[in-house]
């Protein structure tokens, strides 16, 4: 089964990145390398979160798209990227997410597989 591990940056993770980006990146790369070595990593992408603000498009019932600068959901957590893992079940996906050594929030979602 494939699951997306959706990564949300937090105030704490941003603080640690700013304090020592190289050390932070090493922790992340070691974790990703472990997933890959175990044959669990399918793919993933990091999003640019530091320099360019996101834009959000919402289309209400009248069908007229409305564009705003900023994330779809405001708050401390910022969408930072995702990984797709291939695991036996939801419990294993949760365990992989729990093993992330950095202080992001991880949302675990099953990937819809086409017929």
């Amino acid at each position: 089964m494939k699951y997306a591990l959706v990564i949300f940056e937090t105030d704490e993770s941003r603080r640690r990145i700013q304090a020592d980006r190289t050390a932070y990146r090493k922790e992340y790369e070691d974790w990703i390398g472990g997933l890959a070595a175990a044959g669990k990593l399918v793919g993933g992408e990091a999003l640019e979160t530091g320099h360019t603000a996101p834009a959000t498009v919402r289309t209400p019932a009248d069908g007229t798209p409305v564009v705003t600068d900023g994330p779809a959901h405001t708050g401390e957590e910022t969408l930072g990227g995702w990984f797709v893992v291939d695991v036996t079940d939801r419990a294993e996906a949760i365990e992989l997410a729990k093993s992330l050594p950095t202080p992001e929030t991880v949302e675990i979602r099953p990937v819809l597989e086409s017929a």
Side-chain angles (χ1 to χ4, degrees), residues 6-78:
V6 183
I7 310 296
F8 292 89
E9 293 179 356
T10 63
D11 287 345
E12 177 60 18
S13 67
R14 286 186 289 273
R15 185 193 64 71
R16 286 183 51 191
I17 290 167
Q18 290 170 355
D20 190 343
R21 182 175 294 275
T22 302
Y24 196 86
R25 187 174 181 108
K26 172 108 174 67
E27 283 184 279
Y28 230 96
E29 288 173 352
D30 288 349
W31 180 74
I32 295 165
L35 294 179
K40 302 296 179 184
L41 183 64
V42 174
E45 295 291 337
L47 299 174
E48 164 53 57
T49 61
H51 299 93
T52 305
T56 300
V57 177
R58 287 189 170 87
T59 305
D62 72 3
T64 306
V66 177
V67 180
T68 56
D69 286 328
H73 303 282
T74 58
E76 175 199 341
E77 297 175 333
T78 305

Side-chain angles (χ1 to χ4, degrees), residues 38-112:
K40 302 296 179 184
L41 183 64
V42 174
E45 295 291 337
L47 299 174
E48 164 53 57
T49 61
H51 299 93
T52 305
T56 300
V57 177
R58 287 189 170 87
T59 305
D62 72 3
T64 306
V66 177
V67 180
T68 56
D69 286 328
H73 303 282
T74 58
E76 175 199 341
E77 297 175 333
T78 305
L79 181 60
W82 62 88
F83 296 97
V84 176
V85 294
D86 192 359
V87 295
T88 55
D89 56 23
R90 182 176 182 265
E92 185 179 6
I94 291 170
E95 287 305 310
L96 292 178
K98 287 169 49 180
S99 71
L100 179 66
T102 55
E104 284 85 9
T105 297
V106 182
E107 184 173 317
I108 297 111
R109 295 270 186 141
V111 173
L112 182 62

